[in-house]
Amino acid sequence: MPIIVNLDVVLSKRKMKSNELAEKIGITTANLSILKTGKAKAIRFSTLEAICRELHCQPSDILEYQE
Amino acid sequence: MKNNSNNLKVFGPNSLSKYLFYIFRAISIGFLLFIIYIDLSFLLSNVEIINARYYISLPILGVVAKGDYQTNVIVTITLSMLYGTIFFYVLSNIFKAFVSETVFTESAIKHLRYFSFLNLLVGPLLYLVTHFFIMQHSDYRGIHNPILNIIFGVTALFIVHIFKKGYAIQSDNDLTI
C-alpha cells in the first residue's frame, strides 16, 4: 500500500513507548502494533485525532503517501 | 427490530444455533446407530423373515422396521441412511460454526460449501444410483428428493458467497484501528 505509517518515527522523536501511547489513546498494544507495521486496512478519525493529541503532531506526520 | 437481551440470540454462544447444533448432531448419531443396528441384524441373521419380508424390532423405540427381504432394498436403505447421517452431520457442523462469537468465519464458509456440494452432487447422484441402478425402477417416483437437494444446494451456494463477502468485510473491519 502506498500509504506509509510513520508512527514509530514520531514515537521515537517524542521518546514515548508504544504501550504508553496505546494506554493514553485507549487502544490495545496489539492494535497499535498492527497500525505501526502497516498491516491496518483503515484508521478511524477518532484514533488519528487521539494520536495527534498525545504526540502533539499533525496527521501528515503520521501518514505519508509514496508513489 | 429492537435488541432485547431476553430474546434468544440466533448466533453466538447460548444461541439458537447451539440448540440446532445439538438437535442435528443427535439426529445424525441416531441415523448412524440405526444403520449399524439394521446392518448388524442382517449380518448376524437377527431378523425375522415372513413371506419374503424382514421384520427387525428396534430396541428402546419399540417399533419394528420392515421391508422386502432383498439385497437391493437393504443396500438402498443403507446408502440412504448413510446419506442422511452425513447430511445431518454437515448441517450440525454449520450450526456449530455459528456458535462462534463472530458469524463470518472460514469454518462456517467451509461447512456451508460441504453442505452445498453434498446437496448438489451427492444427493441427486444417490437418487440416480439407488432408484435406477440398484432398485431398477423405470418411473420417477421420489424425484422430489433430488429436486429438494438441488434447491438446498443452490441456496447454500448463494449463502457461501454471502458469507465470503461478509468475511472480507469483517476482516477489513477488524483491521480498522
Side-chain angles (χ1 to χ4, degrees):
Chain A
M1 200 160 66
I3 298 289
I4 309 296
V5 181
N6 290 320
L7 189 58
D8 47 352
V9 176
V10 183
L11 271 170
S12 64
K13 277 182 187 171
R14 300 289 184 275
K15 294 184 174 58
M16 192 187 281
K17 287 183 178 173
S18 294
N19 52 358
E20 193 185 337
L21 178 66
E23 197 180 320
K24 280 182 175 175
I25 64 173
I27 66 169
T28 63
T29 47
N31 274 348
L32 191 67
S33 173
I34 289 170
L35 190 60
K36 270 174 59 183
T37 52
K39 288 176 185 167
K41 290 277 179 101
I43 181 165
R44 291 187 182 89
F45 278 143
S46 57
T47 309
L48 190 59
E49 184 189 321
I51 292 170
C52 291
R53 186 183 64 236
E54 293 303 327
L55 296 177
H56 307 289
C57 65
Q58 292 298 313
S60 57
D61 297 328
I62 309 286
L63 303 174
E64 182 191 341
Y65 175 74
Q66 278 186 3
E67 295 274 356
Chain B
M1 199 169 69
K2 197 177 174 183
N3 187 16
N4 188 337
S5 57
N6 291 329
N7 288 346
L8 185 64
K9 288 188 297 174
V10 176
F11 300 108
N14 293 319
S15 63
L16 182 64
S17 297
K18 185 179 149 186
Y19 300 113
L20 287 173
F21 159 67
Y22 285 129
I23 291 167
F24 291 131
R25 185 57 64 91
I27 295 171
S28 169
I29 293 167
F31 270 46
L32 185 66
L33 291 175
F34 181 80
I35 309 168
I36 292 169
Y37 188 79
I38 293 280
D39 285 351
L40 277 178
S41 297
F42 283 121
L43 286 171
L44 302 171
S45 302
N46 183 27
V47 53
E48 199 176 343
I49 296 153
I50 303 166
N51 296 330
R53 283 178 68 80
Y54 69 84
Y55 294 84
I56 302 169
S57 58
L58 300 170
I60 303 165
L61 297 173
V63 291
V64 176
K66 55 194 170 190
D68 292 335
Y69 188 60
Q70 290 169 353
T71 309
N72 55 358
V73 172
I74 297 162
V75 170
T76 300
I77 290 169
T78 304
L79 288 176
S80 302
M81 294 301 285
L82 196 63
Y83 176 75
T85 305
I86 298 166
F87 180 93
F88 284 107
Y89 179 75
V90 173
L91 196 56
S92 69
N93 279 340
I94 293 172
F95 286 101
K96 190 182 178 185
F98 289 166
V99 174
S100 157
E101 283 286 356
T102 46
V103 180
F104 301 109
T105 57
E106 280 184 334
S107 171
I109 294 168
K110 184 179 80 180
H111 294 300
L112 275 164
R113 197 183 285 127
Y114 289 161
F115 187 72
S116 178
F117 169 78
L118 192 71
N119 279 282
L120 281 175
L121 294 175
V122 183
L125 192 70
L126 179 74
Y127 175 79
L128 288 174
V129 171
T130 56
H131 194 76
F132 296 110
F133 294 102
I134 298 175
M135 295 303 293
Q136 305 268 306
H137 289 310
S138 53
D139 56 14
Y140 290 95
R141 198 175 55 192
I143 191 77
H144 60 279
N145 289 321
I147 290 171
L148 276 174
N149 278 140
I150 291 167
I151 292 169
F152 283 157
V154 170
T155 308
L157 205 60
F158 272 83
I159 297 171
V160 166
H161 286 276
I162 291 167
F163 266 68
K164 275 185 183 173
K165 293 265 184 195
Y167 180 67
I169 292 166
Q170 192 172 272
S171 301
D172 281 357
N173 188 52
D174 289 346
L175 288 172
T176 299
I177 311 298

